[in-house]
C-alpha cells in the first residue's frame, strides 16, 4: 500500500477552549486520534481498529476560537496487526505548523483480539521514507518497553 495522506478539518469553538482561551490540548489530541482512526480504518477496510499508543507530541503553536485546523493523516508503517499513522496539524488559513505525532492502531476481531491485516507499506521519496523509518523506530522502542513490563 502506498502512503496516502487524507485531510480532515475542525473549527475551534468556545467549548473546545481551555482556561487560557486557546484550544484545549486534550481536544486537539482527540481530533488527532480521530484523524488517525479514519486513516487506519480506511486502510484495513473496516472500523475494527483501536488506538493502542500515542507517541510524543509537542504543541508548537496555540489555536484560538474561530480558527480552523487541518489534520493530515496517513498510515506510514505496518506491523503484523498494527498500523502506525502519522498525523500533522496546521492552521487551515495560514498553514502554520501546530503539532504532529505518530499514533498506533491495532486491527481487532469482534472479541477485541488482535488480528493480522495483511498490509505492507510502500514508500516513495525521502519524506515518506523518513516517516516510515521514524515510525519503525518508535515501534521497536515500544516492543522493548513492553517486554520490560511483562
Amino acid at each position: 500500500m502506498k502512503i496516502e495522506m487524507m485531510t480532515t478539518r475542525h473549527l475551534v469553538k468556545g467549548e473546545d477552549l481551555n482556561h487560557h482561551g486557546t484550544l484545549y490540548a486534550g481536544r486537539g489530541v482527540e481530533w488527532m486520534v480521530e484523524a488517525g482512526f479514519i486513516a487506519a480504518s480506511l486502510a484495513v477496510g473496516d472500523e475494527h481498529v483501536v488506538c493502542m499508543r500515542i507517541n510524543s507530541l509537542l504543541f508548537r503553536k496555540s489555536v484560538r476560537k474561530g480558527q480552523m485546523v487541518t489534520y493530515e493523516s496517513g498510515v506510514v508503517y505496518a506491523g503484523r496487526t498494527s498500523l502506525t499513522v502519522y498525523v500533522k496539524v496546521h492552521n487551515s488559513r495560514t498553514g502554520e505548523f501546530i503539532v504532529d505525532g505518530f499514533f498506533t492502531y491495532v486491527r481487532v476481531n469482534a472479541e477485541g483480539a488482535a488480528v493480522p491485516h495483511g498490509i505492507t507499506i510502500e514508500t516513495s521519496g525521502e519524506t515518506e521514507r523518513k516517516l516510515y523509518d521514524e515510525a519503525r523506530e518508535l515501534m521497536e522502542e515500544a516492543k522493548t518497553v513492553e517486554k520490560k513490563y511483562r
Side-chain angles (χ1 to χ4, degrees), residues 127-145:
T127 301
E128 287 185 4
R129 188 68 194 171
K130 285 172 107 172
L131 289 172
Y132 177 90
D133 289 342
E134 189 172 348
R136 186 187 75 239
E137 288 173 20
L138 289 169
M139 289 307 295
E140 289 172 7
E141 289 173 18
K143 287 177 186 176
T144 302
V145 170

Side-chain angles (χ1 to χ4, degrees), residues 86-141:
Y86 174 70
V87 181
K88 180 179 181 181
V89 184
H90 56 88
N91 182 301
S92 298
R93 288 201 175 93
T94 66
E96 282 184 298
F97 173 78
I98 297 167
V99 62
D100 66 350
F102 292 89
F103 297 77
T104 302
Y105 299 81
V106 175
R107 184 171 191 215
V108 296
N109 62 19
E111 291 78 40
V115 293
H117 49 60
I119 294 171
T120 55
I121 301 297
E122 302 170 22
T123 60
S124 62
E126 185 179 337
T127 301
E128 287 185 4
R129 188 68 194 171
K130 285 172 107 172
L131 289 172
Y132 177 90
D133 289 342
E134 189 172 348
R136 186 187 75 239
E137 288 173 20
L138 289 169
M139 289 307 295
E140 289 172 7
E141 289 173 18

Side-chain angles (χ1 to χ4, degrees), residues 8-17 23 27 31 63-71 92-93:
T8 57
R9 288 186 175 85
H10 283 277
L11 171 65
V12 178
K13 300 176 287 196
E15 61 263 26
D16 304 320
L17 304 179
L23 177 63
R27 181 61 53 95
W31 292 340
V63 181
R64 301 226 170 262
K65 179 179 169 184
Q67 292 182 325
M68 287 186 290
V69 286
T70 299
Y71 292 76
S92 298
R93 288 201 175 93

Side-chain angles (χ1 to χ4, degrees), residues 4-10 27-43 49 51 69-75 84-89 101 103 105:
E4 291 185 37
M5 299 302 278
M6 55 156 288
T7 302
T8 57
R9 288 186 175 85
H10 283 277
R27 181 61 53 95
V29 172
E30 174 187 346
W31 292 340
M32 291 178 84
V33 170
E34 177 184 67
F37 171 84
I38 293 168
S41 65
L42 288 173
V49 294
C51 184
V69 286
T70 299
Y71 292 76
E72 294 180 51
S73 59
V75 176
T84 301
V85 178
Y86 174 70
V87 181
K88 180 179 181 181
V89 184
F103 297 77
Y105 299 81

